[in-house]
């Protein structure tokens, strides 16, 4: 069977098992915890299907596994016993008829499909032939730097926000220090760098027969900046004077302050 199909089936099986938590917990929001794990499943399916012959495959596997497990653990600690996210509550109200089927297909299966497309650079990396050269080394180092910087941004953003919210004196306030002084969405910016890091690590082979897989990081970048990442929080605080004051001096995404 084709490796692409096996990977897709593996993701469907994993997300279907994860869906079983919904009837038990009555919390559709637990689907968010599976997001990072979907990529861990993807990379390890490739490791099983193919026989890696180059260290770059192992580097990419380690990076994806580290990122995916870190995200899962962070979200599990934060969300496991918390109230269901209002977005999913609204969905359930909308899908009163056959709501479990709708949730399974439109939330869980859709997320698996999205992860499958986004992970294309990860999948094709195991189909490439890597030969050491100056260009390979430069692109590989670029990818590793993007991943490391992005990962640090994500970890710091999550840790600083958690510490900020844990202080009762900060209730109703906006976090404006640390990496949050560089970008209003440093966690999403970090994710953006991580995925371009994965892409450059994968394409350090310079095998342009698979360049079409760039659709993965492009889609992820678009989602983070214009769909599910930045816009939701910006909309939530659009009428908050303190947030708007913060927005006037802090870049929305890229930590680059443009001259007015």
């Amino acid at each position: 069977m084709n490796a692409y199909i096996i990977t897709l089936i593996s993701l469907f099986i994993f997300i279907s098992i994860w869906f079983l938590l919904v009837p038990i917990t009555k919390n559709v929001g637990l689907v968010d915890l599976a997001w990072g794990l979907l990529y861990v499943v993807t990379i390890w399916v490739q490791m099983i299907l193919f026989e890696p012959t180059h260290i770059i495959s192992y580097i990419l596997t380690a990076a994806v596994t580290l990122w995916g497990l870190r995200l899962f653990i962070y979200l599990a600690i934060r969300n496991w016993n918390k109230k269901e996210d209002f977005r999913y509550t609204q969905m359930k109200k909308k899908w009163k008829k056959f709501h479990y089927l709708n949730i399974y297909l439109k939330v869980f299966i859709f997320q698996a499909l999205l992860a499958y497309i986004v992970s294309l650079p990860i999948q094709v990396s195991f189909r490439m032939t890597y030969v050491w050269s100056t260009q390979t080394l430069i692109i590989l180092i670029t990818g590793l730097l993007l991943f490391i910087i992005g990962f640090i941004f994500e970890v710091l953003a999550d840790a600083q926000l958690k510490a900020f919210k844990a202080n009762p004196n900060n209730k109703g306030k906006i976090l404006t220090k640390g990496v949050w002084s560089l970008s209003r969405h440093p966690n999403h910016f970090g994710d953006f760098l991580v995925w371009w890091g994965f892409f450059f690590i994968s394409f350090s082979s310079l095998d342009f027969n698979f360049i079409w897989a760039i659709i993965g990081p492009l889609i992820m970048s678009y989602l983070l900046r214009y769909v599910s990442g930045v816009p939701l929080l910006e909309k939530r605080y659009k009428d908050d004077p303190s947030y708007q004051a913060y927005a006037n001096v802090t870049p929305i995404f890229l930590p680059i302050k443009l001259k007015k």
Side-chain angles (χ1 to χ4, degrees):
M1 188 183 294
N2 184 282
Y4 291 112
I5 296 176
I6 293 175
T7 301
L8 184 60
I9 292 174
S10 299
L11 293 180
F12 282 170
I13 292 173
F14 171 78
I15 205 66
S16 296
I17 295 173
W18 197 264
F19 171 74
L20 296 178
L21 290 172
V22 175
I24 298 172
T25 64
K26 308 299 181 182
N27 189 346
V28 180
L30 293 181
V31 67
D32 294 339
L33 276 64
W35 181 244
L37 294 180
L38 285 166
Y39 298 99
V40 176
V41 170
T42 299
I43 197 76
W44 281 98
V45 167
Q46 310 313 306
M47 287 288 284
I48 293 171
L49 293 177
F50 298 92
E51 295 183 7
T53 58
H54 202 284
I55 191 173
I56 291 177
S57 297
Y58 293 98
I59 291 174
L60 186 61
T61 299
V64 173
T65 303
L66 175 64
W67 173 83
L69 290 180
R70 201 287 309 183
L71 181 61
F72 164 70
I73 293 171
Y74 170 74
L75 292 177
I77 294 173
R78 190 187 72 175
N79 297 345
W80 185 260
N81 290 317
K82 286 196 173 181
K83 187 178 178 180
E84 182 178 71
D85 188 289
F86 75 94
R87 294 171 299 162
Y88 299 116
T89 301
Q90 290 178 340
M91 287 179 185
K92 287 197 293 187
K93 290 180 179 179
K94 180 181 178 181
W95 300 328
K96 290 183 179 180
K97 190 175 183 180
F98 303 115
H99 76 280
Y100 277 131
L101 180 61
N102 276 290
I103 290 167
Y104 174 67
L105 295 176
K106 297 179 182 179
V107 178
F108 282 74
I109 291 297
F110 174 76
Q111 187 167 110
L113 281 171
L114 184 59
Y116 176 80
I117 296 172
V118 170
S119 68
L120 284 173
I122 295 172
Q123 296 182 54
V124 302
S125 68
F126 286 80
R127 294 161 172 80
M128 299 179 185
T129 300
Y130 294 94
V131 179
W132 284 119
S133 66
T134 301
Q135 292 90 336
T136 295
L137 192 58
I138 291 173
I139 297 173
L140 174 61
I141 292 174
T142 299
L144 284 171
L145 286 175
L146 287 172
F147 168 74
I148 292 170
I149 295 171
F151 189 78
I152 290 173
F153 253 87
E154 283 192 75
V155 171
L156 288 178
D158 290 340
Q160 290 170 2
L161 184 60
K162 182 179 179 181
F164 181 80
K165 288 184 174 181
N167 187 343
N169 294 327
N170 293 326
K171 188 174 182 179
K173 296 181 180 179
I174 302 296
L175 175 56
T176 61
K177 297 180 179 179
V179 292
W180 295 85
S181 67
L182 304 176
S183 168
R184 303 207 294 274
H185 304 273
N187 48 347
H188 297 314
F189 170 68
D191 213 13
F192 165 80
L193 291 183
V194 163
W195 277 97
W196 282 105
F198 291 158
F199 173 78
F200 278 100
I201 292 172
S202 175
F203 278 84
S204 55
S205 68
L206 291 174
D207 188 343
F208 287 95
N209 290 317
F210 295 99
I211 193 63
W212 49 267
I214 196 174
I215 189 175
L218 286 175
I219 289 176
M220 178 62 86
S221 300
Y222 180 77
L223 291 175
L224 289 169
R225 178 61 182 85
Y226 298 106
V227 182
S228 62
V230 173
L232 291 178
L233 195 60
E234 291 295 314
K235 183 178 180 180
R236 180 180 177 184
Y237 290 103
K238 65 178 182 178
D239 297 321
D240 187 325
S242 59
Y243 187 84
Q244 294 309 311
Y246 166 61
N248 288 333
V249 297
T250 309
I252 188 171
F253 192 67
L254 298 177
I256 300 173
K257 293 188 177 182
L258 301 176
K259 294 182 179 180
K260 294 184 179 181

